[in-house]
Amino acid sequence: LRNLSLLSPEQVELAKMLLEMGQSHLFEHWPEPGVDDDKKRELFNQVARLNSSYPGGLASYIKTAKELLADSKAGKNPYDGFTPSVPSGESLTFGDDTFLQYEDAGVKEARKAAFVLVAGGLGERLGYNGIKVALPLETTTGTCFLQHYIDSILALQETSCRLAQGDGPTEIPLAIMTSDDTHSRTVELLESNAYFGMKPTQVKFLKQEKVACLDDNDARVALDPHNKYKIQTKPHGHGDVHSLLYSSGVLKEWQDAGRRWVVFFQDTNGLLFKAIPSALGVSATKGYHVNSLAVPRKAKEAIGGITKLTHQDGRTMVINVEYNQLDPLLRASGYPDGDVNSETGYSPFPGNINQLIFEIGPYLEELTKTGGAIKEFVNPKYKDSTKTAFKSSTRLECMMQDYPKTLPPSARVGFTVMDAWVAYAPVKNNPEDAAKVPKGNPYHSATSGEMAIYKANSLILRKAGVKVDDPVLQVFNGQEVEVWPRIVWKPKWGLTYSDVKGKVHGNCSVTQRSTMVIEAPNCHIVDLSLDGALIINAADGTEVEVSGPLQNRGWTIESVDYKDTSVPEEVRIRGFKINKIEQLVKP
Ligand code: UPG
């Protein structure tokens, strides 16, 4: 008690709150005043930060933790009383008329959107030492994910604003959620690259704070094992994005500026901007308050399943059931085989790719009530079956896709399914784990993430009438992948399928061993037959026409072993490198 005199009046209030919440162990061990006083104040500064960054404060965090830990100990199923069934949503086929109509509507709507990238996670499953948004999405050009996202948003902005002819917003903002693990490196990546062409004022950073770890079922806050004046903390999950958008005032600012949509996306999916325009078109046309993008899901694939849940009391909701919970939920409710493929070869539950489009009005209205708090969960690892002690401290977590869980039944919550080849290619698994993925399921590795870009671009050109050779199968880092011609273009060249179709003419062909890089936004490809490597520059927008037979030794792919530490990490995690032997550079 004598130590209380060291604290400010606000800190004394926090100390009282902690005592009431059963947290006396945090300062019981404190020596007499005069010893470690600065460290004691530092602990309370941390308490104040933890208190202010959590909706409802630390007391609310501890209270919820006690409840969730009691439920977990009792083995309570969070889906008790709910029966799962397969929901129905909008299903799009890339390139058909309906798709084109939605794409068109989406591009028009895009200038009223704001984008939110959640990039606070370190990607423990990938084990990469840097931040994931700095990884190249393909090594033909070496463009990193963050640059590709910004290029795509700027391309959308240009087209959308041109169509609007000066009516309404002219810039599409981007908010990036970072954490202590990723913040400084994300800022540095942007600053050292002139924000990849975006105005610095267009980008907002929202840094999430970690939350207090918990030592036992009474939700006693854990002290750092190496520092008894510091609370141990861990990430709270991507669900923090909602409270940050709300508390920072960013969401309100967007609404006041006449914006209508918030588009959330994740750190490593090099395909998603091919799916965004049409999905935005679906949201606008159907009037969805919440629209989740989904792809056909292989059973046991590590992506959540979009599920219709019907409660005994009649309530229903369409919500993501996370991949580790889908199998037990199904087994407990009349599907004895659990998470298995149907006769189509896929799980009947569409896979959530966590690409979410919200309408701002209803979203902000809801956050005004909740402050952005999202339904949380706890996942303690118990020492034994008595469930009385944990192997290591735990914490509450939350996920951004759980937002609809608290919405009233009147909310218009929908989803849009698209083929995975055009919408989803994340980089999540390290080479060893990827090589162990069951045959036929996607690897979600740096290898498959890069190959997926080439495949998608090849298939899109095929649809647009180009004769693109079939891929060959090759094994890199223990994963068998299809190797298509390495075709890459800047979003300003081919933002949408209609853009691509309008720039390819006559009889064109590309052989499997070819590489084609299109940097020039105004490039037309006419009667081209390519067998080798072709780079089309003129990023400044000059009109370029490329045609005729072009042949050279081209660029080859050479295997590298991920254990070979003489090769940079971002290269060896994909298991191959590109040898640039000979190319034609146009113009
Ligand atoms: N992230 C944060 N803060 C955190 C944790 C994660 O910003 O505290 C970001 C992370 O950087 C990434 C995204 O959130 O951009 C998703 O994290 P990740 O670890 O890749 O998520 P998963 O556990 O693989 O699962 C999410 C969804 C799941 C969905 C899948 C699709 O929870 O439902 O199927 O992503 O990729």
Side-chain angles (χ1 to χ4, degrees):
L1 269 180
R2 271 174 299 149
N3 276 301
L4 280 180
S5 60
L6 298 171
L7 306 178
S8 70
E10 294 80 32
Q11 290 177 333
V12 171
E13 285 308 306
L14 288 173
K16 283 190 197 151
M17 177 274 293
L18 289 173
L19 281 173
E20 272 167 31
M21 299 305 294
Q23 308 291 333
S24 59
H25 65 285
L26 292 175
F27 30 84
E28 243 162 30
H29 58 277
W30 279 11
E32 293 298 293
V35 183
D36 289 346
D37 288 352
D38 285 346
K39 291 183 182 166
K40 293 171 191 163
R41 289 193 196 95
E42 200 32 60
L43 177 93
F44 267 87
N45 289 339
Q46 189 193 12
V47 169
R49 283 197 302 278
L50 290 169
N51 189 56
S52 65
S53 61
Y54 184 84
L58 255 182
S60 154
Y61 179 78
I62 295 164
K63 183 170 165 278
T64 309
K66 283 183 184 165
E67 289 163 12
L68 290 174
L69 285 164
D71 286 352
S72 169
K73 184 168 186 230
K76 195 170 157 198
N77 175 353
Y79 294 106
D80 231 8
F82 284 101
T83 311
S85 60
V86 180
S88 64
E90 191 66 27
S91 180
L92 300 187
T93 305
F94 184 87
D96 74 4
D97 286 347
T98 316
F99 178 90
L100 286 172
Q101 278 164 16
Y102 280 131
E103 199 174 61
D104 225 35
V107 170
K108 291 204 182 97
E109 207 61 28
R111 76 206 157 84
K112 291 187 238 151
F115 283 80
V116 180
L117 166 61
V118 290
L122 262 186
E124 281 159 359
R125 283 193 273 153
L126 182 65
Y128 172 59
N129 278 309
I131 51 168
K132 288 174 80 181
V133 291
L135 275 173
L137 77 157
E138 38 79 14
T139 49
T140 294
T141 67
T143 306
C144 71
F145 281 100
L146 189 53
Q147 168 164 14
H148 174 71
Y149 295 149
I150 290 184
D151 282 350
S152 304
I153 294 170
L154 291 176
L156 261 177
Q157 172 178 301
E158 196 178 298
T159 315
S160 189
C161 293
R162 192 178 60 237
L163 294 173
Q165 297 179 329
D167 172 31
T170 54
E171 269 178 15
I172 301 180
L174 167 67
I176 306 178
M177 181 169 81
T178 57
S179 66
D180 279 322
D181 295 330
T182 62
H183 186 76
S184 56
R185 285 179 286 178
T186 310
V187 174
E188 207 174 282
L189 177 66
L190 280 169
E191 286 183 346
S192 57
N193 288 286
Y195 282 73
F196 298 114
M198 210 171 229
K199 288 188 197 155
T201 49
Q202 235 173 313
V203 183
K204 291 247 175 4
F205 293 100
L206 304 168
K207 186 159 83 67
Q208 62 176 147
E209 296 296 331
K210 293 185 178 171
V211 288
C213 292
L214 307 160
D215 265 336
D216 56 28
N217 283 327
D218 295 327
R220 278 153 57 98
V221 168
L223 283 170
D224 188 322
H226 309 292
N227 180 354
K228 59 183 180 176
Y229 296 106
K230 192 170 171 212
I231 290 170
Q232 200 188 6
T233 59
K234 284 188 182 165
H236 189 222
H238 37 73
D240 280 347
V241 72
H242 304 297
S243 64
L244 285 171
L245 280 172
Y246 181 70
S247 64
S248 63
V250 166
L251 199 60
K252 179 83 178 47
E253 210 179 280
W254 287 343
Q255 194 192 37
D256 291 348
R259 309 206 160 271
R260 198 171 157 211
W261 308 105
V262 189
V263 183
F264 296 90
F265 64 107
Q266 304 198 147
D267 50 17
T268 58
N269 179 9
L271 293 180
L272 81 106
F273 275 87
K274 298 190 191 297
I276 279 178
S278 53
L280 199 51
V282 170
S283 278
T285 312
K286 303 248 158 187
Y288 282 158
H289 297 168
V290 174
N291 183 11
S292 313
L293 252 128
V295 296
R297 175 180 181 278
K298 286 280 185 185
K300 316 262 179 344
E301 191 179 337
I303 62 177
I306 305 223
T307 309
K308 180 170 180 184
L309 294 176
T310 308
H311 197 266
Q312 283 154 355
D313 65 15
R315 270 179 298 149
T316 64
M317 60 178 162
V318 174
I319 195 82
N320 172 69
V321 174
E322 201 58 338
Y323 42 92
N324 56 342
Q325 292 182 321
L326 189 60
D327 187 76
L329 169 66
L330 292 172
R331 284 178 197 276
S333 43
Y335 298 80
D337 300 328
D339 181 14
V340 286
N341 290 327
S342 71
E343 63 284 357
T344 62
Y346 288 93
S347 153
F349 298 91
N352 164 43
I353 65 170
N354 242 14
Q355 161 73 59
L356 311 168
I357 304 177
F358 291 3
E359 186 174 348
I360 286 194
Y363 177 42
L364 186 57
E365 200 179 303
E366 174 70 9
L367 295 197
T368 310
K369 291 182 222 148
T370 62
I374 291 299
K375 247 185 166 347
E376 294 161 300
F377 60 95
V378 71
N379 191 12
K381 306 277 180 288
Y382 296 108
K383 268 198 180 136
D384 56 41
S385 59
T386 63
K387 293 190 174 179
T388 42
F390 307 157
K391 283 188 189 151
S392 61
S393 66
T394 188
R395 86 292 197 179
L396 301 190
E397 294 175 75
C398 62
M399 302 190 292
M400 66 171 171
Q401 67 272 33
D402 280 344
Y403 165 77
K405 280 192 172 163
T406 52
L407 292 182
S410 58
R412 289 199 292 278
V413 181
F415 65 93
T416 306
V417 188
M418 250 181 257
D419 286 327
W421 69 263
V422 78
Y424 189 56
V427 177
K428 303 213 192 205
N429 289 326
N430 62 58
E432 273 165 358
D433 290 343
K436 286 185 224 145
V437 162
K439 204 170 161 50
N441 277 23
Y443 299 116
H444 296 170
S445 66
T447 316
S448 62
E450 174 158 355
M451 290 302 168
I453 307 290
Y454 306 139
K455 175 176 180 174
N457 289 342
S458 295
L459 289 177
I460 292 172
L461 283 192
R462 261 193 189 175
K463 269 196 186 292
V466 179
K467 187 186 154 294
V468 179
D469 276 0
D470 281 338
V472 296
L473 289 178
Q474 271 186 274
V475 177
F476 301 108
N477 282 350
Q479 304 152 57
E480 187 180 71
V481 286
E482 288 180 4
V483 183
W484 290 77
R486 274 68 64 207
I487 299 172
V488 183
W489 59 71
K490 282 276 174 198
K492 278 195 180 161
W493 182 78
L495 175 69
T496 60
Y497 178 52
S498 334
D499 287 337
V500 174
K501 271 203 315 184
K503 287 172 175 166
V504 183
H505 317 268
N507 286 322
C508 297
S509 64
V510 181
T511 60
Q512 187 278 332
R513 66 173 201 94
S514 292
T515 296
M516 177 160 70
V517 176
I518 310 176
E519 303 267 351
N522 291 318
C523 159
H524 285 261
I525 295 175
V526 188
D527 296 329
L528 168 76
S529 74
L530 177 64
D531 182 36
L534 167 67
I535 316 296
I536 309 164
N537 281 326
D540 60 359
T542 321
E543 292 271 342
V544 195
E545 190 179 296
V546 184
S547 59
L550 296 176
Q551 197 178 31
N552 57 42
R553 288 161 66 213
W555 293 4
T556 59
I557 296 185
E558 186 189 317
S559 293
V560 294
D561 184 348
Y562 72 92
K563 293 191 203 96
D564 180 356
T565 48
S566 69
V567 180
E569 192 183 7
E570 56 275 17
V571 174
R572 66 189 150 87
I573 56 172
R574 51 201 81 222
F576 60 85
K577 66 178 180 191
I578 306 233
N579 279 335
K580 302 184 175 179
I581 298 173
E582 191 190 3
Q583 67 281 323
L584 180 74
V585 180
K586 288 254 180 185

